[in-house]
Amino acid sequence: MTEQSILANSNITFYGAGSMAEAILRGLVEAKLTEPSRLTVLNRQNAERLRELSQAYSVIPAIEDNHKLDALRTADIIVLGMKPKDAASAIGSLRPLLRPEQLIVSVIAGLSISTIHQLLDRPQPVVRTMPNTSSTIGLGATGISFSESVTDAQRELSLAIFNAIGMSVVVDEPLIEAVNGVSGSGPAYIYFMMEAMIDAGVQLGLTREAATALTAQTVRGAGEMVKLTGEDPAELRRKVTSPNGTTFAALEVMRQFGFEEGMNKAILRCAERAREMGEAIRAEAASQQRQ
């Protein structure tokens, strides 16, 4: 069965209309995996944003309250894309609306499957994901985990959605925070490195335009080398590092400044922060249940 036929008859409602929701619906529309008329977007109050998405992709904006409720009740898949601070109250409001077979797909950092179940007070089929911002150009990397009640057909549906915006890797849920640390926030690490490379190029006399073009192509080429050759990055690095050569000299300075240790600690801290955000949502969920 093709990805197109898998998704063709599914009604998908996006609860939250931010950049990640836009990346997903754009991928689905541009890949012609489903008709735009089967995609509905809603948020709390920014009707203008919904109209922008409707104009750009011909999806259905749910602006009025009754339309929002209808979109949530009739959806086969609900994609949760609200901000983490709004997640507990928004998901709690879904409880009286859902049918047992509806699939919940979360793109919210830190939000665990168990917290979603706690907020819904039922073992709803849930797919927890961690995409990244490169999804907006169809080159995303997404980690995916499934709750026990997700069916084989629902697994295929969710994988088809995220493969439409890049590539996806299925992991056990405790590893989603690791995905967040490596790839979820990963583009920002690369941009930070690129900033430094561009600034150094300017210091050496290049125009900013030339330094930016050279840096962007270098990063792109290095990523493609790893992907296309299948070789370990360490081996590719060794191949371009002649003893006492220019690359060797540069890497020695990076080691002196603790580049490897800094990157490692940054990724660990990112994963830790995702867990902290998840605990905050869990605590709010527990508070709601006590009320």
Side-chain angles (χ1 to χ4, degrees):
M1 185 178 293
T2 65
E3 289 183 343
Q4 182 173 13
S5 61
I6 290 171
L7 287 167
N9 297 317
S10 297
N11 294 318
I12 306 176
T13 293
F14 292 82
Y15 193 169
S19 57
M20 192 54 63
E22 181 175 4
I24 296 170
L25 67 85
R26 180 198 291 128
L28 295 174
V29 170
E30 292 184 351
K32 293 181 169 51
L33 295 183
T34 189
E35 293 297 323
S37 60
R38 287 190 172 274
L39 305 176
T40 301
V41 290
L42 63 91
N43 55 25
R44 286 194 303 172
Q45 56 189 16
N46 190 347
E48 184 57 34
R49 170 61 173 168
L50 302 181
R51 293 188 183 97
E52 288 175 1
L53 294 174
S54 178
Q55 185 173 9
Y57 308 106
S58 300
V59 298
I60 307 301
I63 296 173
E64 303 299 330
D65 286 346
N66 62 332
H67 192 182
K68 292 178 183 181
L69 294 175
D70 186 60
L72 292 168
R73 288 191 182 104
T74 60
D76 299 299
I77 303 169
I78 298 174
V79 179
L80 303 177
M82 67 284 296
K83 295 178 180 178
K85 66 181 181 64
D86 299 324
S89 59
I91 296 170
S93 70
L94 290 176
R95 189 184 306 136
L97 304 176
L98 298 182
R99 305 186 312 278
E101 71 276 10
Q102 281 177 293
L103 179 65
I104 303 296
V105 176
S106 170
V107 298
I108 302 171
L111 179 61
S112 69
I113 291 172
S114 63
T115 298
I116 294 174
H117 285 165
Q118 181 180 355
L119 287 163
L120 295 177
D121 196 28
R122 72 183 71 167
Q124 197 81 21
V126 174
V127 179
R128 182 182 176 188
T129 74
M130 176 43 58
N132 63 19
T133 56
S134 299
S135 301
T136 60
I137 59 169
L139 294 174
T142 302
I144 299 182
S145 298
F146 305 101
S147 70
E148 291 184 2
S149 57
V150 173
T151 66
D152 289 344
Q154 289 173 329
R155 287 172 68 100
E156 290 185 34
L157 283 170
S158 57
L159 289 170
I161 289 171
F162 289 94
N163 286 337
I165 56 172
M167 58 83 71
S168 56
V169 175
V170 177
V171 299
D172 292 335
E173 191 190 0
L175 296 176
I176 285 286
E177 274 78 19
V179 173
N180 196 336
V182 173
S183 63
S185 297
Y189 316 151
I190 305 302
Y191 300 146
F192 198 19
M193 181 184 71
M194 291 174 72
E195 291 177 60
M197 293 171 69
I198 291 165
D199 287 344
V202 171
Q203 289 178 34
L204 289 168
L206 293 171
T207 66
R208 183 159 291 275
E209 181 181 14
T212 300
L214 289 166
T215 298
Q217 184 66 10
T218 298
V219 171
R220 180 183 182 184
E224 286 297 306
M225 280 289 288
V226 173
K227 185 176 179 180
L228 296 178
T229 66
E231 292 188 65
D232 191 285
E235 181 59 29
L236 291 170
R237 173 179 54 79
R238 282 191 286 268
K239 287 182 177 180
V240 299
T241 308
S242 302
N244 297 316
T246 57
T247 306
F248 179 87
L251 292 175
E252 282 298 294
V253 173
M254 294 175 77
R255 289 194 177 95
Q256 289 171 17
F257 279 85
F259 177 83
E260 294 162 299
E261 181 182 6
M263 180 60 74
N264 183 269
K265 287 185 176 180
I267 292 172
L268 292 176
R269 176 58 187 141
C270 179
E272 179 183 47
R273 179 59 185 147
R275 285 189 288 270
E276 291 170 357
M277 292 168 65
E279 285 304 312
I281 299 173
R282 181 184 288 276
E284 186 174 352
S287 176
Q288 286 186 12
Q289 287 187 323
R290 287 194 296 269
Q291 293 176 358

